[in-house]
Amino acid sequence: GAGVSQSPSNKVTEKGKDVELRCDPISGHTALYWYRQSLGQGLEFLIYFQGNSAPDKSGLPSDRFSAERTGGSVSTLTIQRTQQEDSAVYLCASSLGGSNEQFFGPGTRLTVL
Amino acid sequence: DQQVKQNSPSLSVQEGRISILNCDYTNSMFDYFLWYKKYPAEGPTFLISISSIKDKNEDGRFTVFLNKSAKHLSLHIVPSQPGDSAVYFCAAKDTGRRALTFGSGTRLQVQP
């Protein structure tokens, strides 16, 4: 079956602009996660959705970052007034409700000039 | 404060030999551990996991060992194959949370 998909695969933007990143989880997966990976680093947790609600937003680095999920499926991560330190690969993952195993998408590489 | 540490950024082994990747953690509330494999330009792929109530889990060529007293886990790959060349991430889950905490990864190169 289809895995987690993300779009765009690459995004180059200018400092100060807003960006939206999209994630389509595996069909039937109720849990959705956003992570980011900066150069040479491990993955850093950003936010977790169960259905359309986000019980854990503790990883969002600032109020410039927000995310929503609609219909228990697609999620959008929005970064406002982008900064150069936001440059990273943003990864989305999904899982069945009670499972610890998360399945990752290919990521969106964001470059802020 | 890195709660999950992979102290070896890279490892090179010969095809057919054993690869041992190591991971240390500091948070005693971690109750589940996972290994992911990542190829360039792809997302991480789940490899194998272990609950904190176990000390070993085996799946084909892959075995994960957990030493809770030492807060250490390791992934053994035997025999190693060139297709195993990738970056391996150790990850851990805190009791009561769903988020995973990742190490910084170890790049494994299996030489033919």
Side-chain angles (χ1 to χ4, degrees):
Chain A
V4 177
S5 61
Q6 293 186 244
S7 62
S9 55
N10 277 285
K11 177 72 177 178
V12 180
T13 190
E14 292 179 349
K15 178 181 170 181
K17 295 285 178 74
D18 298 352
V19 295
E20 284 190 353
L21 312 179
R22 176 187 167 107
C23 172
D24 272 283
I26 293 171
S27 178
H29 280 193
T30 58
L32 185 147
Y33 312 79
W34 284 97
Y35 294 84
R36 72 176 177 182
Q37 184 182 17
S38 303
L39 192 63
Q41 304 295 315
L43 281 71
E44 173 192 12
F45 168 75
L46 298 177
I47 187 169
Y48 152 60
F49 286 92
Q50 180 60 45
N52 291 336
S53 64
D56 189 348
K57 306 179 184 179
S58 62
L60 294 177
S62 76
D63 58 8
R64 297 186 296 105
F65 288 72
S66 63
E68 64 175 13
R69 189 180 185 195
T70 55
S73 181
V74 171
S75 176
T76 302
L77 177 69
T78 301
I79 309 173
Q80 295 179 312
R81 304 180 304 281
T82 52
Q83 304 293 313
Q84 287 182 333
E85 61 262 28
D86 299 334
S87 296
V89 176
Y90 288 81
L91 290 149
C92 175
S94 69
S95 68
L96 288 169
S99 173
N100 290 319
E101 295 160 11
Q102 300 178 17
F103 296 86
F104 283 83
T108 294
R109 181 175 296 277
L110 174 66
T111 303
V112 182
L113 301 177
Chain B
D1 175 30
Q2 263 193 305
Q3 297 187 60
V4 177
K5 296 179 184 178
Q6 294 178 256
N7 292 317
S8 298
S10 64
L11 174 67
S12 182
V13 300
Q14 289 294 121
E15 181 178 4
R17 306 295 290 269
I18 185 170
S19 295
I20 300 175
L21 296 100
N22 294 304
C23 178
D24 296 296
Y25 63 94
T26 58
N27 187 343
S28 58
M29 297 301 288
F30 287 148
D31 63 354
Y32 200 83
F33 303 87
L34 308 90
W35 284 94
Y36 282 84
K37 172 180 175 181
K38 186 179 184 303
Y39 293 117
E42 295 183 10
T45 302
F46 170 74
L47 199 55
I48 192 169
S49 61
I50 188 166
S51 165
S52 60
I53 63 173
K54 295 186 175 181
D55 55 19
K56 178 182 174 182
N57 187 27
E58 191 172 352
D59 183 2
R61 297 186 297 115
F62 303 92
T63 303
V64 55
F65 295 92
L66 176 62
N67 181 334
K68 280 189 297 182
S69 61
K71 292 190 174 67
H72 178 82
L73 67 157
S74 60
L75 173 68
H76 292 208
I77 306 173
V78 56
S80 301
Q81 299 173 354
D84 296 330
S85 297
V87 177
Y88 289 77
F89 289 98
C90 170
K93 190 189 79 65
D94 195 330
T95 304
R97 290 191 73 204
R98 299 299 300 275
L100 296 178
T101 302
F102 283 82
S104 54
T106 295
R107 182 178 301 278
L108 172 66
Q109 187 159 13
V110 180
Q111 308 281 1

